[in-house]
Amino acid sequence: QVQFVESGGGLVQPGGSLRLSCAASGMMLSSVTMAWYRQAPGNQRDMVAHIGSSGSTYYSNSVKGRFIISRDSAKNTMYLQMNSLKPEDTAIYYCNTYFRGNNYWGRGTQVTVSS
């Protein structure tokens, strides 16, 4: 059974940093493309970044240069280092993968950027 558990969210001031974690079980996340999505109230869920099995990375224009996606295969955990946070980064952040014909999501972690 594939499961993801996100953690690391919280309240941070503009310009601050947070590191999100996504702990995986039931699969090896290094063998697939893993992604971070976010959803703000009233908005659709949008992809923020993804990391392929080769280690290649992709970032949306809104976070490029500020966020860094990475993974630790030994811990079977994916990370999202978020720097220079802005109020518009406020959202619930989810980890995701498409694996063996199924789309898997975690429950999300809330990130709030506010002074």
Side-chain angles (χ1 to χ4, degrees):
Q1 182 181 358
V2 175
Q3 287 188 319
F4 299 136
V5 178
E6 301 95 335
S7 61
L11 173 64
V12 63
Q13 292 187 342
S17 297
L18 283 174
R19 189 177 81 154
L20 306 183
S21 299
C22 170
S25 59
M27 58 163 288
M28 296 302 298
L29 57 79
S30 60
S31 66
V32 297
T33 295
M34 293 289 301
W36 284 100
Y37 281 74
R38 68 185 181 186
Q39 186 169 22
N43 289 2
Q44 66 182 20
R45 194 172 294 188
D46 293 324
M47 186 168 63
V48 173
H50 66 64
I51 183 166
S53 56
S54 66
S56 61
T57 58
Y58 164 86
Y59 299 93
S60 68
N61 287 336
S62 60
V63 306
K64 195 175 298 181
R66 299 188 298 122
F67 290 10
I68 301 171
I69 189 170
S70 63
R71 64 177 180 232
D72 184 330
S73 298
K75 295 182 179 179
N76 210 27
T77 299
M78 178 176 67
Y79 303 99
L80 187 67
Q81 177 67 42
M82 305 187 297
N83 302 319
S84 302
L85 282 162
K86 305 175 181 180
E88 51 264 43
D89 295 318
T90 295
I92 300 175
Y93 285 71
Y94 301 89
C95 54
N96 164 269
T97 195
Y98 187 79
F99 178 65
R100 292 182 179 175
N102 293 293
N103 212 5
Y104 293 98
W105 298 92
R107 291 189 174 185
T109 185
Q110 174 72 48
V111 172
T112 303
V113 185
S114 174
S115 55

